Amino acid sequence: MPSPFHFNPFHHISPIGDRVDALFWFLTFISVLITLLVFVLIVWFVIRYRRRNEDEIPTKTPSNLPLEIGWTIATFAIMLVMFFWGAILYIDMKRSPAPAANALEINVVGKQWMWKLQHPGGQREIDELHIPVNRLVKLTMSSEDVIHSFSIPDFRIKQDVVPGSYSTEWFTATRTGRYHLFCQEYCGTNHSQMIGWIDVMTPGDYNAWLAGTAVGESPAVSGAALFHSFGCAQCHGQIAPTLAGLYGRKVLLQDGTTVTADSDYLRESILNAPAKIVQGYTPSMPSYRGQVSEEQLSDLIAYIKSLSPAHIDAGPAPDVADRPTSIPNIPPAKQPPG
Ligand code: CUA
C-alpha cells in the first residue's frame, strides 16, 4: 500500500503528483550537482594550491572575466528555469479546472477535529473519502472554526481551509488504493488526530459503494428545504433578485461594477447581503450569519447552483424553478428570522 512514510519516487498516483516529483527531482539534482562541484573544487584547490614552504609568497592571480560572467549567467539561467517551472506548476495546481471537465464535486467542512465530506448525491462521510479512479475530483472546502489544511501527501496536494471563505482543491487519482489524508495546519489539541483516508476505487466499486451507502438528502435538496424554511422565496424573485440561472452569471452591482455569481459571492450575500447590492435593488436582506452552519451554507449554494442547469454537478436537481412552494414533501415555511 502506498504511504507517505515510504519513499515512493515516481509513484504515478496522480498527474500533478508526477509533475511535483519531476520538479522536486530536478531541484535535488541541481543541488547535489552544485554541492559536489563545490566540494570537489575545495578539495582539489586545497591540494593543488597548498602552501609548500614557510616562505612561499603566492603569485598574483589575474581575474578571469569570461569565467565570472559565465558562471553568473549560468546560475541565473538555472534559477530562472526553477522559477518558471515552479510558477507554472503552482498556477496549474491552483487554477480550478474548467466546469466542463465534469468534475466530481465534493463538499468538505473542516472542524476541530474532523473532516466532514459530502458527495453530490448526498452521501456523507467523516474522515474518509471514496472516489473513483481517473476522475477529476474537485473539493470545495470551508471551516467551521479555525484554519485547517486538507492535505493528501501521496497526491502532492495541500490547501488551507479557512473560516469565512471557500477554498478549492482538485486532483485526479490514477491508481486505486488507500491514501492518507492529513490536516496539515496546527489547529488545536487534537490536530494530530484530524486524519483520514482517501479510498480510490474502480468506477464499478465506486458505484457499488454509492449504492450501498445511506443517502441523506442531496445538498441541493437540503438547500431547497432550507430556502423554503427561511422564507427566502418571499423576497427573491420579487423585491430581491431572482435566483434562477444566477450561478456563474455576471451580476451588475449598484456601484456599477460586476461580479461573477460564484460560491464565494453567494456565501457573502447570504451572510452579509449589503456588501454587494445588485443594481436596481435596495439592501433589505437580513444577515444570516450565525443562523446557518457551514454545511447549510453549502446546501443553500448547491440549491442555487441547481437553478442554473449548466452547473448541475451530478444527481437529480430538485424539481423546482424559483418557487420552492412547488417542492413536494417540504415542511411549511416558518417566518423569516429577523
Ligand atoms: Cu485541523 Cu489541524
Side-chain angles (χ1 to χ4, degrees), residues 111 113 115 147-149 183-188 191-192 194:
K111 59 175 280 194
W113 287 275
W115 294 108
I147 301 177
H148 304 277
S149 183
C183 175
Q184 249 182 42
E185 182 76 42
Y186 181 69
C187 55
H191 156 72
S192 62
M194 197 166 160

Side-chain angles (χ1 to χ4, degrees), residues 198-281:
I198 309 294
D199 290 296
V200 181
M201 317 169 89
T202 62
D205 285 351
Y206 176 68
N207 287 332
W209 177 85
L210 279 182
T213 303
V215 181
E217 284 173 322
S218 80
V221 171
S222 307
L226 283 168
F227 191 88
H228 194 60
S229 70
F230 280 125
C232 308
Q234 293 180 8
C235 299
H236 280 284
Q238 290 141 60
I239 63 162
T242 178
L243 301 176
L246 170 66
Y247 192 86
R249 215 177 58 198
K250 289 239 181 296
V251 178
L252 182 61
L253 302 179
Q254 213 168 37
D255 61 7
T257 59
T258 55
V259 63
T260 303
D262 57 9
S263 299
D264 274 312
Y265 166 76
L266 295 177
R267 176 200 176 86
E268 181 183 57
S269 294
I270 294 168
L271 298 179
N272 181 21
K276 294 196 174 69
I277 295 297
V278 179
Q279 196 159 73
Y281 291 90

